[in-house]
Amino acid sequence: MLALIGCVFLGSVAEAEPVRQVLSLNKGWSFREVRGDTDFPGQRIHGWTKREGETGPVDMVALSQPGAVFAPDQWANGASSTKGGFVYVRAETKGRTMKAPELHFFGSNLECEVFLNGTRLGRHIGRELFVYALGAAWRADGPNAIAVKIKSGKYDGSLGEVRLVDAENPEMPATSPVNPVFDDASWRRVDVPHDYVVEGEINKTGEDGYRRYQAWYRRTITAPEALPGRRVWLEFDGVYRNSRYWLNGRLLGGHGSGYVGRRFDITDLLAPGANTLAVTLNPGVAEGWWYDGGGIYRDVRLVVVDPVHVAHEGVFVSATVPDPGDGKTAPATVAVSVELQNRLAAERRVTVRFEILDPKGETLAADSESLLFAPGETQLRKSLPLARAALWSDQTPVLHTLRTRVFDGDRLADEVSTPFGIRKIEFDAERGFLLNGRKVVLKGVCLHENHAGVGIAMPRRLVEWRLERLKSFGTNAIRCSHNAYSPDFYELCDRMGILVMDEFRQFGSGYPSKVDIDTEMGPDVLADVAQQVRRNRNHPSIVIWSLCNEEGKVQNKPRGAELVRIYKDLVDRLDGTRPTTGAVVGGFSADGVCSAVDVVGMNYSIPDYDKVRARFPGKPFVATEAVSELASRGFYDGQPFQMKPNEPTLFGDKDRGHLGAYPGNFPGWGASSEDGWRAIADRPWMAGYFVWTGFDYKGEPTPFKQPAQPSVSSYFGILDTCGFPKDSYWYYKAWWTQEPVLHVFPHWNWPGKEGVEIPVWVFSNHENVELFLNGKSLGKKSMPRNSHLKWMVPYAPGRLEAIGSSTKGPGMKTRVETTGSPARVVLAPDRARLKADGADLAWVAVSVLDEKARHVPTATNLVRFSVKGPGRILGVGNGDPTGHEPDKASQRSLFSGYAMVPVQTLEQAGEIELVAESDGLAPATVRLAAESPRP
């Protein structure tokens, strides 16, 4: 359905037509995973020959002339290089008449220069599809010679498939998914967001256990009924990765990154009625080193706009607050910059009206400007003063709206509403981070955007639920490590008052996970960075940009500073309202990355905090990454071990791949949760820190590696991959919040260990805690600030109880008990009323109770799920870092007493019934109300 974005009255003229139309393309895709070759449009270039560079340099202009000859013994068949040096490859093809000849390079992994008939076409770095328009260099009467100079070393130097394509009349085999007549009836039907990698079986391969293959998506789209001359945009928020897009057999383009979106103006390619959209992608080579999934994993839409319109992401609104006063309301000046586009052939008389609306929709300020607008683009800037504005903060996230209306004569041509916040941010070398004049310590976490059961394809409600879980223990800031997140994430952080460090994935051309000292800043890099800044710069939650992460080859060298300055110049030009930092680990040289950013960013290296500060006098500091504490939720039975000699001693079970949940397990670069927080709390000049990580995530199972251990996900999280808290959750909640906290652990089910001393820990912010076993006091202790209490308790079955007391408020009690065997299943949804929109969901915790209704913390029962009514099981998980059970299933074993099943609505109202069954246990049923969304 086409969505009505807005209508307006101008004088006595009413506009009833929607000024922008948005059509979701999330539903109804055909999907197939491919484990072989695919037919692409065009003529494949054959007959490549190559010469290794050791025999001397080659004149590329001469080499790319038709008929060029080298001694036969200097050349061999094939087009792959050896490591190091240069390789020269060439091929010749016949001439033919084409309207728009192009060369398409598929599956290459190289740094190269391309020549045709003596003309240099350009340079490419990386693994992504690249296309060269041949123009006048192409000889219709032939022959045509193609020569490629490949630099090997950084990449493997392989030249993949190369095709000659007439862009205006491509040859499409009927067997190619690009061809509109291709029959995809046997393909699977899916909706997006979709991560197909997480659907696969876990094998002992790679750090996360998943194999990655190329895949195709196809969909029919119907040309919207629009006024003549309107433009139609096709927008993808995220496709992972190395994607290519065809409409009716015409290549729209490719995109290397999986983290920034892709947009096409398809107006001139849309045919009346049905049109065939085909997308292929290949996540086989990752941008990072964590689980990155694969698929169209964010939203897709069509946007229909008037030919006279606000440019895509063309609104930038920021506020200046000279004196924030009480931090709640203050005078402010709102600066507005709007890019306009006129896609008509004639000049137009245009009026642009700007209105600032408060949260209730009331107009606080307005201004307008009229101009004669010639075909092309123009930019308008306005400054609107506000005598008294409600300020946005982490405590009061007040959002205003800038409404931009474009009138073509008396007709409303376009309208864009831009939420924004009015706030003052400062990073100070002495006082740390200030928000509206108030010191705020960044109590942050790092994240990767993946979750048990769904992989990287997270619906908006799941993103929101994760943010709620993080806020529940005091998190007020998130570092987007190490890439742009979904649009939903930033919108929710704005609304929920969560501060954000936004970070760029790329740091050099070709989408490498790390750069070399000789890397260059190509246009692909700067385009992606610019897109991320333009998309996100209006979000008040973003308070700082992170330009890079742990670029070990350059971060402590002048070359690193040079590269950072290129980024910083672009970011400052497009934004300029926020400072920049870079996440540096080790060294922190005076002429490297730290010298070029506004705020020094330090990963780990707690003992160096004060020393590095002395090296950069007058600069603010933030700990961009810290702690890296390791734990398997609910696992306490282990022994000390080392992965290798001279490495840190860890506690756990090395063979089974479990790490003890007692805090204090961390790799050599890390620190305990307590040491990490105390280092910040004791330094008022430090803006704050970001704990690695808020949630466990698939991949990077440090310190374990497959196939020696079964681990497939990380151990760093304060919450596991499902969102169940580890014990450190209560440490942070005790010292990051003002809520009373009293948490005792471990569980008290230790059959066979009677009389053996068990370490018992308490996390609390009470002044004193007394521990009891079966009613007998084991002593009362005073709680050290930012620390914990510990008792060694000989095990005896029964009840372990802690009582906290404080002079400033009431006390608390908590306990753990020895339980009986599991007797019944329990389901606990996070909420029971849902929107029947096909996207909303309930996060349902699964556990078992004994006959006395006590949670059994050691349970491992297999639980089966079924759904009746207008809902579906989105996935399953249990937080086990060694679990190999499928995420896309209708059953899951409990791990340390818990599992999770998110239930998603369909697009119809009704009652959803989720049933959970386990052999020998009483089943559980929970009912959820799926309600029709309000219009």
Side-chain angles (χ1 to χ4, degrees):
M1 179 177 292
L2 296 179
L4 180 67
I5 301 298
C7 60
V8 67
F9 288 90
L10 180 62
S12 61
V13 179
E15 280 289 343
E17 294 289 337
V19 293
R20 280 200 175 196
Q21 298 172 329
V22 179
L23 176 65
S24 172
L25 297 183
N26 284 356
K27 304 293 184 180
W29 291 82
S30 298
F31 167 79
R32 187 183 70 174
E33 197 174 24
V34 179
R35 304 189 181 185
D37 294 333
T38 298
D39 287 328
F40 290 106
Q43 169 193 335
R44 187 168 184 173
I45 305 298
H46 294 282
W48 292 93
T49 56
K50 75 172 182 177
R51 196 184 89 177
E52 301 292 340
E54 288 78 3
T55 56
V58 170
D59 182 341
M60 293 301 296
V61 172
L63 181 61
S64 60
Q65 296 291 352
V69 176
F70 283 79
D73 60 353
Q74 293 180 316
W75 290 87
N77 292 328
S80 295
S81 77
T82 57
K83 289 286 185 181
F86 292 92
V87 168
Y88 307 93
V89 300
R90 77 183 306 273
E92 290 197 12
T93 184
K94 296 179 180 179
R96 51 183 288 199
T97 299
M98 292 186 288
K99 292 183 178 180
E102 295 178 344
L103 281 179
H104 293 195
F105 290 75
F106 298 85
S108 300
N109 183 20
L110 43 71
E111 180 177 347
C112 71
E113 290 182 275
V114 181
F115 293 77
L116 174 69
N117 297 331
T119 298
R120 184 179 184 273
L121 300 179
R123 181 170 179 264
H124 176 80
I125 302 175
R127 309 172 180 92
E128 292 68 42
L129 165 78
F130 57 107
V131 175
Y132 289 119
L134 306 184
W138 175 255
R139 297 176 180 175
D141 55 352
N144 291 274
I146 307 161
V148 184
K149 179 183 179 182
I150 301 172
K151 179 182 178 182
S152 185
K154 180 177 178 181
Y155 298 92
D156 67 19
S158 61
L159 180 65
E161 180 179 328
V162 182
R163 285 182 176 263
L164 176 65
V165 180
D166 185 345
E168 293 193 12
N169 187 28
E171 301 174 30
M172 292 180 288
T175 54
S176 173
V178 170
N179 197 321
V181 304
F182 178 83
D183 184 4
D184 62 15
S186 63
W187 290 19
R188 186 155 60 96
R189 298 301 184 261
V190 301
D191 295 334
V192 302
H194 179 232
D195 177 2
Y196 67 90
V197 172
V198 79
E199 298 173 346
E201 294 182 357
I202 294 179
N203 302 287
K204 290 202 170 183
T205 175
E207 288 198 343
D208 57 30
Y210 291 99
R211 297 185 184 275
R212 289 157 171 79
Y213 300 96
Q214 180 184 358
W216 281 88
Y217 292 83
R218 297 180 90 246
R219 192 188 192 282
T220 297
I221 60 176
T222 302
E225 295 182 6
L227 297 176
R230 285 202 156 193
R231 311 301 298 182
V232 181
W233 301 338
L234 172 63
E235 296 180 353
F236 293 83
D237 284 340
V239 181
Y240 200 90
R241 140 177 144 80
N242 199 358
S243 51
R244 285 155 283 174
Y245 308 82
W246 285 268
L247 183 64
N248 299 329
R250 296 281 294 275
L251 178 66
L252 299 176
H255 195 35
S257 175
Y259 295 114
V260 295
R262 193 71 166 93
R263 170 183 163 274
F264 305 96
D265 187 327
I266 60 172
T267 308
D268 299 332
L269 295 180
L270 270 177
N275 294 257
T276 300
L277 176 62
V279 181
T280 186
L281 56 95
N282 191 342
V285 180
E287 288 184 67
W289 47 92
W290 52 90
Y291 174 85
D292 41 19
I296 303 177
Y297 73 104
R298 292 177 183 163
D299 293 335
V300 186
R301 70 189 70 82
L302 287 181
V303 179
V304 184
V305 297
D306 193 89
V308 179
H309 58 263
V310 175
H312 176 65
E313 294 169 353
V315 176
F316 179 33
V317 53
S318 62
T320 302
V321 183
D323 181 0
D326 63 1
K328 296 180 180 179
T329 59
T333 300
V334 177
V336 176
S337 174
V338 175
E339 298 174 27
L340 302 174
Q341 294 181 335
N342 178 5
R343 292 292 180 251
L344 296 171
E347 186 177 65
R348 309 297 295 178
R349 169 65 68 178
V350 171
T351 300
V352 183
R353 180 170 174 81
F354 306 99
E355 297 172 288
I356 296 176
L357 310 179
D358 69 10
K360 295 180 180 179
E362 300 293 330
T363 301
L364 299 180
D367 200 352
S368 62
E369 182 169 338
S370 296
L371 68 154
L372 282 174
F373 188 13
E377 301 179 358
T378 192
Q379 189 170 51
L380 296 180
R381 290 183 171 86
K382 287 290 180 182
S383 181
L384 288 80
L386 298 177
R388 184 176 176 83
L391 302 183
W392 185 98
S393 75
D394 57 324
Q395 301 296 317
T396 56
V398 178
L399 290 174
H400 293 73
T401 301
L402 172 70
R403 184 163 62 190
T404 305
R405 289 169 165 174
V406 181
F407 295 91
D408 182 1
D410 290 338
R411 182 180 63 86
L412 178 64
D414 199 9
E415 178 180 318
V416 175
S417 292
T418 307
F420 70 100
I422 299 172
R423 83 283 191 269
K424 183 175 184 178
I425 57 174
E426 302 170 86
F427 283 82
D428 186 87
E430 300 298 329
R431 296 180 293 169
F433 175 66
L434 305 177
L435 180 59
N436 300 328
R438 174 177 61 94
K439 179 178 173 60
V440 176
V441 178
L442 299 176
K443 301 168 184 175
V445 298
C446 303
L447 290 181
H448 282 310
E449 275 197 313
N450 69 64
H451 193 87
V454 299
I456 61 174
M458 290 197 294
R460 181 185 176 92
R461 172 54 197 163
L462 184 56
V463 176
E464 183 178 39
W465 181 88
R466 284 164 58 95
L467 294 176
E468 291 169 353
R469 295 298 289 160
L470 293 173
K471 287 199 70 172
S472 72
F473 63 88
T475 300
N476 66 5
I478 293 172
R479 174 184 172 214
C480 299
S481 46
H482 307 286
N483 51 266
Y485 280 16
S486 68
D488 287 337
F489 169 84
Y490 302 99
E491 293 169 8
L492 290 165
C493 286
D494 290 346
R495 183 167 61 80
M496 299 171 71
I498 299 174
L499 307 169
V500 174
M501 175 184 288
D502 206 18
E503 189 163 273
F504 303 106
R505 170 80 290 267
Q506 282 180 272
F507 196 57
S509 295
Y511 304 95
S513 58
K514 299 291 182 182
V515 302
D516 288 328
I517 193 69
D518 61 348
T519 194
E520 296 185 15
M521 286 297 177
D524 54 344
V525 177
L526 298 180
D528 286 352
V529 172
Q531 180 179 337
Q532 184 172 340
V533 174
R534 285 171 60 90
R535 189 194 74 172
N536 293 348
R537 61 189 174 179
N538 292 313
H539 291 288
S541 55
I542 299 175
V543 297
I544 191 169
W545 302 104
S546 176
L547 305 182
C548 62
N549 171 69
E550 295 188 357
E551 293 291 347
K553 295 180 181 179
V554 300
Q555 64 182 1
N556 288 308
K557 297 177 182 179
R559 181 57 178 155
E562 292 174 7
L563 295 175
V564 159
R565 287 190 185 101
I566 295 172
Y567 270 66
K568 179 172 166 51
D569 288 347
L570 178 64
V571 170
D572 287 347
R573 188 166 66 251
L574 294 174
D575 176 19
T577 68
R578 301 168 177 87
T580 60
T581 189
V584 173
V585 59
F588 310 103
S589 68
D591 59 356
V593 166
C594 293
S595 69
V597 293
D598 301 311
V599 180
V600 175
M602 294 185 65
N603 283 10
Y604 308 104
S605 308
I606 289 177
D608 295 331
Y609 280 179
D610 300 318
K611 179 176 65 177
V612 176
R613 187 191 184 211
R615 190 175 299 160
F616 297 96
K619 271 201 168 187
F621 272 72
V622 63
T624 38
E625 188 171 318
V627 179
S628 278
E629 198 165 51
L630 305 164
S632 300
R633 175 183 54 77
F635 180 79
Y636 307 97
D637 190 11
Q639 298 295 325
F641 69 91
Q642 289 178 298
M643 294 302 296
K644 295 180 181 178
N646 302 319
E647 287 193 354
T649 298
L650 302 173
F651 178 85
D653 189 322
K654 181 179 178 181
D655 294 332
R656 292 171 59 194
H658 287 306
L659 291 166
Y662 291 108
N665 271 336
F666 52 87
W669 64 81
S672 69
S673 50
E674 294 186 25
D675 287 343
W677 171 236
R678 284 199 295 259
I680 301 302
D682 294 343
R683 291 170 172 81
W685 49 268
M686 184 71 85
Y689 75 150
F690 294 85
V691 175
W692 190 267
T693 52
F695 283 78
D696 279 343
Y697 53 94
K698 291 177 179 292
E700 205 170 19
T702 305
F704 301 126
K705 302 287 183 182
Q706 290 201 65
Q709 290 89 14
S711 306
V712 292
S713 66
S714 77
Y715 298 79
F716 298 114
I718 299 168
L719 305 161
D720 68 15
T721 55
C722 296
F724 294 112
K726 302 180 187 179
D727 294 293
S728 60
Y729 170 98
W730 283 275
Y731 172 80
Y732 290 106
K733 186 165 186 173
W735 303 114
W736 282 7
T737 78
Q738 300 300 313
E739 296 181 43
V741 173
L742 183 62
H743 174 66
V744 60
F745 62 100
H747 60 72
W748 210 238
N749 285 9
W750 298 102
K753 289 195 173 186
E754 287 75 10
V756 176
E757 286 192 329
I758 304 294
V760 175
W761 285 45
V762 171
F763 285 143
S764 179
N765 48 19
H766 286 76
E767 295 171 4
N768 304 288
V769 178
E770 188 170 7
L771 189 68
F772 296 84
L773 177 61
N774 295 327
K776 180 181 178 181
S777 176
L778 301 180
K780 186 176 187 179
K781 298 184 180 183
S782 297
M783 175 65 69
R785 183 162 181 79
N786 296 324
S787 189
H788 70 281
L789 294 176
K790 180 179 176 182
W791 286 259
M792 296 300 296
V793 181
Y795 175 66
R799 182 174 63 189
L800 191 67
E801 184 174 50
I803 300 178
S805 60
S806 298
T807 59
K808 298 179 181 179
M812 292 180 68
K813 292 183 180 181
T814 190
R815 67 187 183 189
V816 291
E817 292 187 71
T818 307
T819 70
S821 299
R824 63 186 178 94
V825 183
V826 176
L827 297 174
D830 70 305
R831 58 201 183 118
R833 303 176 75 89
L834 309 175
K835 295 191 293 288
D837 59 1
D840 200 9
L841 60 84
W843 181 93
V844 183
V846 186
S847 59
V848 295
L849 303 181
D850 68 4
E851 291 183 350
K852 294 183 178 181
R854 297 172 299 192
H855 171 248
V856 182
T858 56
T860 59
N861 304 70
L862 177 68
V863 183
R864 298 179 298 276
F865 307 103
S866 59
V867 168
K868 296 179 181 178
R872 63 170 180 160
I873 293 172
L874 197 58
V876 291
N878 63 12
D880 181 2
T882 69
H884 287 207
E885 294 175 272
D887 278 44
K888 295 297 184 180
S890 58
Q891 64 180 30
R892 190 73 168 195
S893 298
L894 303 180
F895 173 67
S896 294
Y898 287 104
M900 168 218 69
V901 52
V903 177
Q904 190 171 50
T905 63
L906 303 179
E907 291 182 299
Q908 66 184 82
E911 184 178 78
I912 303 170
E913 183 179 273
L914 173 67
V915 178
E917 301 172 291
S918 183
D919 291 346
L921 305 183
T925 300
V926 67
R927 292 175 176 84
L928 309 170
E931 301 171 344
S932 297
R934 294 180 180 178

